[in-house]
């Protein structure tokens, strides 16, 4: 009985549906798909690396959007659609970026119905201004620095600029490169170490720099020849971790915590960062749960003028920290050996750390060379990576003699 009732209801519903559609005109929505009138009052203004178009949209009831067609800096045809809802009092404006020359660009503007019908294009030529990233290149200078070079950049514009630096030894031919971003309206003085496969260059080097925009377009090259100021790497065997205890996870005067139980016979302990082996590592405690902040102090054995602190992540593991703050303290200012919190630490600020890279990463202190026996690496909560622990495989220091 139940099956028959269900079948009856289904048949009744179908009949009602068919009956409701019997009159083609009833309930049908009529769409005005006629070609609207063209846009009017089209003008083009030059801006840096871009063209700004303004136009009046038509009052035709069928008008839905403007389609703008043009050829980009790479020779590819592009188009963008602008809904009529974006207009203000019937006026529309849009900026088209990414041009790298000041050659005129042809824009075709189509006023379209919902299905794209139109009465043809209105054509306008716009001349892009000189791109900002090329202008930024002209501001760049390079100075020798301890252990590398300093690249000075003045980005006085509202767009971020990529600075691409390449280097090659004038004698050995060893080479390397890097890129970094200079934020809008910023004067930047970035330290760049001339890293090569087996270390970094301290000899005369040929430096090539260009700038790039957000689309990857590059300026011409600017060339320099620079010899970095010398630095010396301190032997790790001369360093130590104050208060180190191999048998406990608890913090001491030299570190916030370590993992002495859960990482095998060697790994996890603080001293692993001073063993010259990147396959071993310090790991903040996890068997006894800890979280950020974490920190570690290294005793260099005597005072040095510290130019750079070099850190290497736990190899192959990207769950660790994404930055650190560096402090140093001279021997004479470490007045209470049992209480490092009371020492007169010199704060060098925070440095970004790429936890996806196995390469050693340098924090540059050479702008403020100070006598220092102790180096403190602090990992605040804001430096937390995807995991809850800090991890380092190697710690090295470069000094000025």
């Amino acid at each position: 009985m139940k099956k028959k009732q269900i079948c009856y209801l289904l048949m009744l519903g179908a009949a009602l549906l068919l009956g409701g559609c019997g009159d083609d005109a009833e309930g049908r929505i009529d769409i005005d798909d006629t070609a609207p009138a063209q846009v009017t009052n089209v003008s083009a203004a030059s801006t840096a690396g871009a063209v700004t178009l303004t136009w009046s949209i038509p009052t035709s009831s069928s008008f839905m959007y403007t389609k703008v067609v043009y050829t980009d800096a790479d020779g590819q045809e592009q188009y963008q659609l602008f809904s009529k809802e974006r207009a203000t009092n019937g006026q529309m404006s849009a900026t088209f970026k990414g041009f790298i020359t000041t050659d005129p660009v042809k824009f075709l503007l189509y006023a379209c119905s919902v299905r794209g019908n139109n009465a043809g294009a209105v054509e306008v030529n716009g001349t892009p201004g000189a791109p900002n990233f090329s202008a930024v290149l002209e501001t760049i200078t390079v100075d020798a620095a301890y252990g590398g070079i300093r690249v000075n950049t003045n980005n006085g514009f509202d767009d971020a600029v990529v600075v691409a630096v390449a280097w090659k030894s004038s004698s050995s031919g060893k080479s390397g490169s890097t890129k970094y971003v200079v934020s809008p309206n910023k004067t930047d003085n970035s330290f760049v170490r001339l890293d090569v496969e087996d270390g970094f260059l301290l000899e005369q080097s040929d430096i090539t720099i260009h700038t790039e925009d957000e689309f990857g377009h590059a300026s011409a090259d600017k060339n320099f020849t620079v010899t970095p100021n010398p630095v010396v790497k301190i032997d790790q065997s001369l360093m130590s971790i104050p208060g180190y205890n191999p048998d406990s996870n608890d913090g001491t005067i030299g570190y916030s915590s370590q993992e002495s139980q859960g990482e095998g016979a060697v790994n996890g302990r603080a001293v692993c960062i001073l063993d010259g082996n990147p396959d071993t590592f310090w790991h903040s405690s996890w068997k006894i749960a800890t979280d950020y902040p974490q920190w570690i102090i290294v005793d260099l054995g005597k005072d040095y003028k510290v130019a750079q602190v070099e850190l290497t992540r736990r190899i192959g593991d990207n769950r660790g920290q994404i930055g650190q703050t560096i402090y140093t303290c001279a021997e004479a200012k470490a007045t209470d050996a049992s209480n490092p919190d009371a020492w007169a630490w010199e704060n060098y600020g925070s440095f970004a750390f790429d936890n996806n890279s196995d390469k050693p990463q340098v924090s540059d202190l050479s702008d403020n060379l100070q006598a220092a026996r102790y180096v403190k690496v602090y990992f605040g909560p804001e430096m937390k990576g995807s995991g809850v622990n800090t991890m380092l495989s190697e710690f090295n220091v470069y000094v000025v003699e």
Side-chain angles (χ1 to χ4, degrees), residues 218-241:
S219 71
D221 290 336
K222 196 170 185 179
N223 299 303
F224 305 86
T225 300
V226 183
T227 301
N229 298 327
V231 292
V232 176
K233 184 178 181 180
I234 300 301
D235 190 332
Q236 287 179 322
S237 68
L238 302 175
M239 307 180 200
S240 61
I241 308 294

Side-chain angles (χ1 to χ4, degrees), residues 149 164-170 172-179 192-201 203 205-210 359:
I149 60 173
V165 186
W167 51 87
K168 184 176 182 179
S169 167
S170 302
S172 69
K174 294 179 180 179
S175 62
S177 63
T178 191
K179 291 183 180 182
V192 177
R193 190 168 71 168
L194 308 185
D195 288 323
V196 292
E197 187 174 351
D198 56 351
F200 58 95
L201 302 178
E203 63 262 37
S205 301
D206 300 317
I207 311 297
T208 302
I209 298 178
H210 71 259
K359 294 181 179 179

Side-chain angles (χ1 to χ4, degrees), residues 337-377:
S338 65
N339 184 21
D341 288 342
W343 297 357
W345 292 100
E346 185 79 20
N347 185 351
Y348 282 86
S350 297
F351 300 84
F353 188 83
D354 182 1
N355 62 2
N356 290 302
S357 174
D358 284 337
K359 294 181 179 179
Q361 300 179 52
V362 64
S363 299
D364 178 55
L365 316 184
S366 63
D367 260 358
N368 183 23
L369 289 172
Q370 297 282 336
R373 173 171 175 172
Y374 301 94
V375 177
K376 181 177 182 179
V377 185

Side-chain angles (χ1 to χ4, degrees), residues 14-182:
L16 290 172
L17 181 62
L18 291 172
C21 297
D23 186 347
D24 289 341
E26 185 178 347
R28 187 176 65 190
I29 299 175
D30 290 324
I31 297 176
D32 184 357
D33 197 41
T34 59
Q38 294 177 312
V39 301
T40 57
N41 302 320
V42 182
S43 63
S46 298
T47 58
V51 173
T52 297
L53 300 182
T54 57
W55 65 93
S56 300
I57 63 174
T59 58
S60 306
S61 61
S62 62
F63 173 72
M64 297 300 292
Y65 61 90
T66 307
K67 179 179 181 179
V68 181
V69 181
Y70 63 98
T71 300
D72 67 16
D74 300 316
Q76 301 297 313
E77 184 176 278
Q78 304 288 347
Y79 71 87
Q80 295 186 36
L81 305 180
F82 301 91
S83 169
K84 65 180 182 181
E85 281 75 21
R86 287 189 52 177
T88 301
N89 297 324
Q91 299 298 306
M92 191 82 75
S93 178
T95 299
F96 301 84
K97 298 181 177 181
F99 299 105
I100 57 176
T101 71
T102 56
D103 296 334
V105 179
K106 181 171 70 175
F107 294 88
L108 302 175
L109 289 79
Y110 298 86
C112 299
S113 69
V114 67
R115 293 193 177 99
N117 286 338
N118 62 80
V122 173
E123 180 179 320
V124 64
N125 288 324
T127 302
N132 286 338
F133 69 91
S134 293
V136 171
L137 179 71
E138 298 307 312
T139 73
I140 291 179
T141 60
V142 175
D143 298 320
Y146 287 105
I149 60 173
R150 197 163 300 283
V151 180
N152 312 299
T153 307
N154 182 14
N155 180 11
F157 302 102
D158 292 332
D159 298 316
V161 172
V162 176
V163 176
V165 186
W167 51 87
K168 184 176 182 179
S169 167
S170 302
S171 55
S172 69
K174 294 179 180 179
S175 62
S177 63
T178 191
K179 291 183 180 182
Y180 59 90
V181 176
V182 177

Side-chain angles (χ1 to χ4, degrees), residues 292-352:
Y292 288 69
Q294 302 281 353
W295 51 270
I296 192 165
I297 294 174
V298 176
D299 181 353
L300 306 182
K302 66 176 185 178
D303 281 342
Y304 294 94
K305 291 183 178 179
V306 176
Q308 282 96 38
V309 174
E310 181 188 80
L311 304 175
T312 307
R313 73 164 184 170
R314 175 182 177 178
I315 301 300
D317 195 320
N318 66 357
R319 296 172 296 170
Q321 65 280 349
I322 59 172
Q324 65 278 334
T325 302
I326 304 294
Y327 300 84
T328 70
C329 184
E331 182 174 357
K333 296 180 179 181
T335 53
D336 183 352
S338 65
N339 184 21
D341 288 342
W343 297 357
W345 292 100
E346 185 79 20
N347 185 351
Y348 282 86
S350 297
F351 300 84

